[in-house]
Amino acid sequence: MTAIATVVAGLSAMSATAEETFDLDAILAAAKQEKPINIYDSTGKIVEMADKFSAKYGLKATGVKVSANSQLEMIIRESQSGNVQGDVVLITDAPSALAQLLPAGFVENYLPGDMVAKIPAQFQNPLAISTNANVWAYNTEAYDKCPVSNIWELTEPKWKGKVAMVDPLSKSTYTDWFNQLEAHGNEKVAAAYKAHFGKDIDKDAAAAWIKALAQNGPLATDGDDPVAEAVGAPGQKQPFFGLLSSAKFRDNADKGYKLGLCTGLDPWVGWTYIKLGLIASKTKSPNMAKLFIHYVLTEEGIAPQMKDGKLPTNIDIKMPADEPSGLMKVADKLMGYDSATGLNDFDRREEWQDVWRVNYRK
């Protein structure tokens, strides 16, 4: 998979509590003297993960599904009031964590000592437990192969009103992606333009593509489920082409959808964002929280999310062969999230929302 660049300079001074040694027995013994914990995550799989953790160690942990936006507000308010309910947070809004949670001391970074050699340096501070992917997909019942080979095709009349994606005004990972495209993907977007149109583009290629996509009136939904249905539902003569979470490929088995990964798309088949694993600074159960962070970095701990195409950062863990999307076969064709510009992603969210809002045409 495309490597993610080193985390923002200066963050190394923020609450990096990697231990030289990791004594599982000692931490477990201390955890058994502490109160139960809650873990916030934006996927329902956290309930299963917390239950398995509890059964494994004879402790009580509860997984709570909370959206990334709600996580931020809850973590801040709980810390300010001294009434911490979420002891561990697994959050996909990395820019907000970099800009708001870590600098203010609402959360702490913790890397178990026995994981230092297994987690690449770029994922250590702050700790990323996985990389998640949004990918371009088509309906395999309607098409014998992906009907799009270049992202610039999506700006042309043929695909006007026929592209489905999550509304960038409702999900910050999308505006973060726009900023990542401009900061790190301009050359490839420009090269794709030349490959498609046969001439050089005379302006900021990434911004031009984003504006042109918005002007072509994509179906902007409130989540990935409507995108999966618009693209993958069987029996369609002219289904949408779409951008959605790789996790939705499980709908092929669960709902009879016909989602196919667009493996040959130039310049990328999709893009990634990271999920951080952080501990509430004021938790009253620090050892249990540390134990859960360690657990989620193991294959046993992260397995429920791997089934949804979440790629663990622990290099010793291999993705299951039956992962529905087939993402690992094209992992090198994903645009990897570069947290070197994470703070800039955060600062420019409203600017990119305005770009989308001004250019969007139904």
Side-chain angles (χ1 to χ4, degrees):
M1 181 173 181
T2 306
I4 295 178
T6 305
V7 175
V8 182
L11 282 176
S12 58
M14 290 184 183
S15 303
T17 55
E19 299 177 347
E20 293 184 4
T21 60
F22 179 79
D23 189 334
L24 177 62
D25 292 335
I27 288 184
L28 177 56
K32 288 186 174 181
Q33 305 303 312
E34 296 175 344
K35 296 180 179 180
I37 62 170
N38 295 316
I39 304 104
Y40 293 160
D41 197 348
S42 54
T43 172
K45 291 295 179 68
I46 191 58
V47 175
E48 177 186 353
M49 294 164 67
D51 288 346
K52 289 184 174 180
F53 169 82
S54 299
K56 179 180 179 68
Y57 291 114
L59 300 169
K60 179 58 178 176
T62 301
V64 184
K65 182 179 179 181
V66 183
S67 70
N69 289 339
S70 295
Q71 283 181 44
L72 285 168
E73 183 176 353
M74 291 165 69
I75 293 163
I76 292 171
R77 291 194 176 199
E78 289 173 12
S79 181
Q80 289 174 335
S81 68
N83 182 27
V84 170
Q85 299 296 311
D87 304 275
V88 176
V89 56
L90 307 182
I91 188 168
T92 53
D93 192 347
S96 290
L98 292 169
Q100 295 178 299
L101 300 183
L102 283 161
F106 296 128
V107 295
E108 294 180 352
N109 195 55
Y110 171 70
L111 175 63
D114 63 338
M115 292 291 175
V116 173
K118 299 178 181 182
I119 308 297
Q122 64 264 32
F123 296 126
Q124 291 188 9
N125 191 20
L127 176 67
I129 64 167
S130 67
T131 59
N132 305 342
N134 285 323
V135 295
W136 294 101
Y138 68 102
N139 187 303
T140 58
E141 184 180 56
Y143 301 101
D144 58 6
K145 65 177 181 179
C146 182
V148 181
S149 61
N150 188 303
I151 62 170
W152 284 98
E153 293 178 45
L154 303 177
T155 68
E156 298 186 315
K158 177 182 178 180
W159 291 102
K160 183 174 180 62
K162 295 300 294 180
V163 176
M165 60 187 287
V166 174
D167 188 348
L169 301 181
S170 68
K171 196 168 185 179
S172 58
T173 49
Y174 278 73
T175 48
D176 295 340
W177 168 49
F178 293 166
N179 201 56
Q180 291 275 314
L181 277 172
E182 186 178 69
H184 309 292
N186 247 326
E187 289 185 6
K188 287 193 174 182
V189 177
Y193 180 93
K194 186 171 185 178
H196 184 60
F197 293 110
K199 59 182 179 180
D200 291 323
I201 189 168
D202 59 359
K203 47 192 160 185
D204 182 322
W209 179 78
I210 293 164
K211 292 175 183 178
L213 178 66
Q215 291 165 357
N216 218 26
L219 172 66
T221 72
D222 60 0
D224 289 298
D225 286 330
V227 178
E229 182 178 4
V231 176
Q236 299 187 76
K237 291 183 178 180
Q238 292 184 314
F240 284 78
F241 185 72
L243 179 63
L244 75 171
S245 168
S246 61
K248 293 305 164 185
F249 280 76
R250 65 172 180 258
D251 288 343
N252 286 348
D254 295 345
K255 300 180 180 179
Y257 285 179
K258 308 297 180 180
L259 293 169
L261 183 63
C262 194
T263 58
L265 193 63
D266 181 27
W268 303 284
V269 303
W271 48 277
T272 68
Y273 55 99
I274 56 178
K275 176 176 285 189
L276 304 180
L278 302 166
I279 296 175
S281 300
K282 295 181 181 179
T283 178
K284 293 181 173 59
S285 303
N287 291 288
M288 201 185 305
K290 289 179 179 180
L291 190 63
F292 187 84
I293 290 290
H294 183 269
Y295 177 73
V296 83
L297 292 174
T298 67
E299 184 171 1
E300 179 182 4
I302 198 66
Q305 296 196 23
M306 289 170 62
K307 296 175 184 177
D308 288 344
K310 308 299 191 295
L311 308 174
T313 55
N314 183 338
I315 60 176
D316 287 350
I317 303 174
K318 306 303 179 186
M319 288 292 288
D322 60 351
E323 187 277 314
S325 72
L327 188 65
M328 287 307 297
K329 296 178 182 177
V330 291
D332 61 338
K333 297 180 181 179
L334 290 166
M335 180 181 178
Y337 182 77
D338 188 339
S339 36
T341 53
L343 291 175
N344 188 252
D345 295 342
F346 180 82
D347 288 341
R348 297 191 66 197
R349 282 177 173 177
E350 289 188 12
E351 181 180 339
W352 283 113
Q353 287 177 347
D354 288 342
V355 169
W356 185 265
R357 188 181 291 109
V358 167
N359 288 280
Y360 185 71
R361 302 287 184 273
K362 291 186 178 180

